[in-house]
Amino acid sequence: MNVNYFQNYLETLHQSYANLDKGEVASYIPELLKADPQWFGIALITVDGHVYQVGDSRQPFTIQSISKAITYGIALEDNGVEAVLQKVDVEPSGEAFNSISLEPDTGRPRNPMINAGAIATVALINGESADDKLKRMLKCYERYLGRSVTIDEDVYRSEKSTGHRNRAIAYLLRNSDIIEKDTDDVLDVYFKQCSILVTCRDLALIGATLANNGVNPITGVRVLASHYVPKVLSVMSSCGMYDYSGAWVYEVGMPAKSGVGGGIVAVLPGQFGLAVFSPKLDERGNSARGIAACKKISSDFGLHMFRTGRSTTSSVIHASYDAAHVPSKRTRNVEQGRLIAELGHKVMVLELHGELMFTSAEIVIHEAMVAAKKAEYLIIDFTRAAYISEGADSMIAGLIQSLSEHGKTILLTGTWGKYETIKLIKKRIGYTDDMPLLNYDAIDDALEWCEDQLLAGQASYTAAEAPLVAQNFLIEFTAEEMEVFESMLEHRSYDEGAYLCREGDPGDLLYFLLSGQVSVIVPLSHRRSRRITSLSAGSAFGEIAMLDRGKRSADIVADDNVTCLVLDYKQLEEQSSPLAMCIRWKLATNIGRDLARKLRKATLEIKSLRS
Ligand code: GLN
């Protein structure tokens, strides 16, 4: 028993439509008559690369007219839209696939999905010889299917020996210079492209690749430039089912292409490719079971492409907060902490998620404008933004530009892997390397940078060095206690890059930083690591292990030359003089207070992130 709901659904559907016995196997290409009329397969592949298949989904058959969509993509990449349009129009002909539907004055075929248009499209493929063209075509199939393909030689010969009508069409095209070279070569490639062997699963993968903006979702290989994908899908949706195209879009609502071999591939952009294979064709040359099954799946799941989702603020903005509520993880002294609580509202973070298209980008603009009323710094985080459309990126670039003109500073974080978008934004805003705003790895780095800007305007912030008395943990120490305490400390200095301690080390030392800065780094798998925070002069660390007698939970690395005083607290514990007892009590109290403050801050932060 299969537990996957959709797999079960397909199996049931397959069972019930296997009884549908309408139509005839194509006979005008004699070899096609050899197909078993009972063959019936269904496959669906999502843009995540999840594969569902039932029945004869692994049975090879010839691709026939479905190849026209693929060839059209190659022709677009080889020549560009304008040059292709000069030779082949994109108007539905409303006529049969083998109609001689040419523009009266120019002889231009109506569209690339009927034979006339497809033959003209083959002529547009780059390559010196017929062989070159075919090789390039087969390479393209390799990228669509993640495997090499072969041609059914028998079907090819059968097509070639009976394809007089296609030959006539080719001559007409030659006559009006739509085809500028030898028609035999072009026809030969055309017959061969129709005879490429595929399975139903293969067709679903072709569909899924188109649904996935031209990238094969299983291999990750780009097959078609993303800006040509809508062009191919357009002709599929207006002309892909021949003289049934209008009713097909009306009822099923997906760009699709059929072939007389019995295959149909349908594409729901952004979601999946669906293929059905069954050789019996209706009077228009479309697989009868194929049409029935696609109609049923579409209506059962509401898949019509014009039934779309809706972007709302909550579907685009994952979280928004300011640095007063969610400050950076940087350890600050008490005064700096107070200043950030007071001024932090000037730094706003907007965490985006999901797909950024026109409407969702509009929401980002709206929210950013509201945030910018109070804030001077705006951090826009893309970590969870799965996809940024062309268009959404220029809207965001426009936003950055206009906010910058109003004196606001915008920082973009989590842009890893979104190079195209970043490139465009940089270009649009005239980015130069001295501008601080782009490509922060994590929100925390950007937050810290913004806080530093806020603090830089304040007098209390310049702590390259800090005397021991400035330490939080030593508040309310008397001069005498301070003197005794200091005598227990050991002075240490570290060069830039040196480790003060490592994860797993025994934690019996408490460090007071006098000058320089250190970073707290946790090692991750695969030799990667993450910086948790940085501490500068006036801060101390090691208190957690001191309290729970545990081991170090992170590496501590010197960011520059560092000097510090180090307490071995076992030594402090061994002393029993009243003064030493008093020092211990005060130290523990101060550390306790510090932890309480951190805990409150964390609670506030969690509250802000959840609202
Ligand atoms: N090879 C076939 C032909 O040219 C393709 C037609 C089709 O699949 N509709 O007739």
Side-chain angles (χ1 to χ4, degrees):
M1 147 78 186
N2 196 304
V3 288
N4 186 299
Y5 168 75
F6 189 68
Q7 180 68 30
N8 287 342
Y9 167 87
L10 281 186
E11 279 163 19
T12 313
L13 180 94
H14 182 268
Q15 239 167 39
S16 61
Y17 282 90
N19 302 323
L20 183 87
D21 200 25
K22 276 206 231 144
E24 299 297 333
V25 177
S27 57
Y28 75 102
I29 300 169
E31 194 63 27
L32 290 183
L33 259 183
K34 292 191 179 159
D36 178 344
Q38 286 314 316
W39 278 336
F40 183 26
I42 307 176
L44 184 143
I45 301 184
T46 67
V47 292
D48 281 328
H50 300 168
V51 180
Y52 296 90
Q53 50 184 332
V54 290
D56 302 302
S57 58
R58 295 173 180 84
Q59 171 63 46
F61 58 95
T62 53
I63 188 166
Q64 296 298 341
S65 278
I66 299 169
S67 63
K68 294 169 179 173
I70 287 163
T71 307
Y72 190 61
I74 304 176
L76 287 172
E77 286 202 322
D78 283 356
N79 305 274
V81 171
E82 284 314 311
V84 172
L85 279 178
Q86 295 219 321
K87 299 286 189 187
V88 187
D89 200 4
V90 288
E91 284 306 328
S93 67
E95 290 176 62
F97 67 87
N98 57 3
S99 65
I100 303 181
S101 207
L102 310 173
E103 222 170 40
D105 44 345
T106 59
R108 192 168 61 140
R110 289 288 180 207
N111 68 67
M113 302 290 106
I114 53 170
N115 290 9
I119 295 168
T121 307
V122 168
L124 288 169
I125 294 184
N126 286 348
E128 281 306 304
S129 60
D131 223 38
D132 286 349
K133 283 184 201 278
L134 187 72
K135 268 198 196 120
R136 295 191 60 241
M137 190 184 277
L138 296 181
K139 276 262 168 273
C140 179
Y141 276 87
E142 251 170 57
R143 295 200 299 276
Y144 270 110
L145 304 184
R147 64 169 180 84
S148 55
V149 288
T150 54
I151 285 165
D152 185 324
E153 293 295 334
D154 295 335
V155 173
Y156 159 66
R157 273 193 296 273
S158 185
E159 294 224 18
K160 193 171 171 155
S161 59
T162 57
H164 311 303
R165 191 179 173 92
N166 285 330
R167 217 163 268 123
I169 290 172
Y171 274 117
L172 284 172
L173 295 172
R174 179 70 190 93
N175 179 55
S176 50
D177 273 336
I178 293 293
I179 295 181
E180 294 171 21
K181 284 189 187 153
D182 182 30
T183 51
D184 283 351
D185 275 0
V186 174
L187 279 167
D188 205 54
V189 178
Y190 174 74
F191 292 138
K192 281 186 176 146
Q193 85 167 26
C194 290
S195 309
I196 289 172
L197 282 167
V198 290
T199 66
C200 190
R201 181 192 187 276
D202 289 337
L203 291 184
L205 188 51
I206 290 174
T209 302
L210 292 171
N212 195 33
N213 277 312
V215 175
N216 179 320
I218 292 179
T219 62
V221 170
R222 173 161 297 282
V223 185
L224 182 62
S226 65
H227 52 284
Y228 292 132
V229 173
K231 304 292 181 208
V232 172
L233 291 177
S234 298
V235 290
M236 284 171 70
S237 86
S238 58
C239 322
M241 304 297 283
Y242 316 114
D243 41 340
Y244 184 63
S245 297
W248 168 272
V249 169
Y250 191 80
E251 288 182 50
V252 180
M254 293 181 231
K257 187 71 206 84
S258 66
V260 293
I264 295 182
V265 57
V267 179
L268 190 55
Q271 302 204 36
F272 60 76
L274 163 68
V276 184
F277 161 57
S278 183
K280 282 192 166 188
L281 310 179
D282 63 17
E283 53 296 343
R284 288 161 168 130
N286 297 319
S287 165
R289 279 181 191 156
I291 294 215
C294 288
K295 269 190 194 168
K296 178 77 175 136
I297 296 174
S298 174
S299 90
D300 281 353
F301 294 98
L303 298 176
H304 197 291
M305 62 179 161
F306 295 146
R307 286 177 71 145
T308 56
R310 209 168 59 88
S311 297
T312 59
T313 307
S314 65
S315 70
V316 183
I317 311 288
H318 171 73
S320 72
Y321 47 86
D322 64 23
H325 293 87
V326 185
S328 76
K329 299 288 169 287
R330 172 69 188 251
T331 308
R332 310 276 187 185
N333 64 33
V334 176
E335 173 59 6
Q336 290 168 350
R338 193 190 59 74
L339 280 170
I340 288 168
E342 185 185 310
L343 304 172
H345 64 275
K346 297 187 180 175
V347 181
M348 274 295 293
V349 179
L350 282 185
E351 290 186 23
L352 312 183
H353 69 161
E355 317 245 305
L356 293 181
M357 315 272 280
F358 173 81
T359 328
S360 37
E362 188 279 329
I363 290 171
V364 174
I365 290 178
H366 184 89
E367 293 296 308
M369 293 315 244
V370 173
K373 283 198 183 126
K374 294 184 298 172
E376 286 170 19
Y377 300 89
L378 187 64
I379 299 168
I380 305 179
D381 179 66
F382 290 86
T383 308
R384 294 184 180 80
Y387 169 76
I388 304 160
S389 75
E390 298 162 38
D393 53 8
S394 37
M395 287 171 79
I396 289 169
L399 167 78
I400 295 174
Q401 207 163 20
S402 70
L403 287 178
S404 311
E405 279 162 20
H406 286 85
K408 310 286 181 184
T409 302
I410 319 296
L411 293 89
L412 305 185
T413 58
T415 54
W416 195 86
K418 292 155 187 126
Y419 302 116
E420 291 299 316
T421 307
I422 294 306
K423 218 166 76 190
L424 182 126
I425 290 177
K426 282 184 171 177
K427 209 172 129 196
R428 276 283 303 271
I429 64 173
Y431 179 79
T432 52
D433 283 336
D434 54 326
M435 293 167 96
L437 53 155
L438 293 166
N439 289 354
Y440 279 83
D441 206 23
I443 300 177
D444 196 55
D445 297 344
L447 267 173
E448 186 180 329
W449 184 88
C450 293
E451 289 170 357
D452 285 347
Q453 310 304 304
L454 291 180
L455 294 173
Q458 306 293 325
S460 56
Y461 178 75
T462 38
E465 290 183 23
L468 195 62
V469 285
Q471 289 281 343
N472 257 342
F473 292 167
L474 308 181
I475 292 170
E476 289 170 13
F477 273 43
T478 64
E480 195 192 2
E481 286 159 358
M482 204 63 188
E483 204 186 310
V484 172
F485 186 68
E486 213 169 337
S487 72
M488 292 181 225
L489 304 177
E490 181 193 327
H491 194 279
R492 290 192 185 174
S493 51
Y494 297 88
D495 292 337
E496 183 183 332
Y499 283 79
L500 282 75
C501 58
R502 297 213 186 232
E503 185 195 19
D505 283 356
D508 38 21
L509 299 176
L510 187 59
Y511 294 76
F512 297 95
L513 286 173
L514 297 178
S515 70
Q517 176 181 302
V518 299
S519 281
V520 182
I521 292 171
V522 277
L524 305 172
S525 57
H526 303 296
R527 287 212 216 106
R528 291 176 311 126
S529 59
R530 174 169 294 141
R531 190 193 71 128
I532 298 287
T533 181
S534 299
L535 313 174
S536 45
S539 312
F541 63 89
E543 74 278 17
I544 306 284
M546 172 181 152
L547 292 177
D548 69 4
R549 313 277 145 118
K551 295 201 184 303
R552 297 276 174 238
S553 53
D555 293 345
I556 309 285
V557 185
D559 292 339
D560 43 29
N561 293 338
V562 164
T563 57
C564 54
L565 291 169
V566 178
L567 169 75
D568 182 342
Y569 51 77
K570 279 208 199 100
Q571 204 188 318
L572 176 62
E573 277 172 342
E574 280 159 14
Q575 303 199 15
S576 52
S577 70
L579 198 62
M581 295 300 282
C582 194
I583 287 174
R584 267 173 70 184
W585 181 77
K586 281 192 179 173
L587 184 62
T589 309
N590 286 337
I591 292 176
R593 283 207 182 114
D594 187 69
L595 287 176
R597 190 176 53 83
K598 284 182 182 151
L599 206 58
R600 277 187 192 276
K601 220 173 92 177
T603 310
L604 190 67
E605 184 175 324
I606 291 165
K607 247 167 78 182
S608 308
L609 287 173
R610 292 188 67 180
S611 62

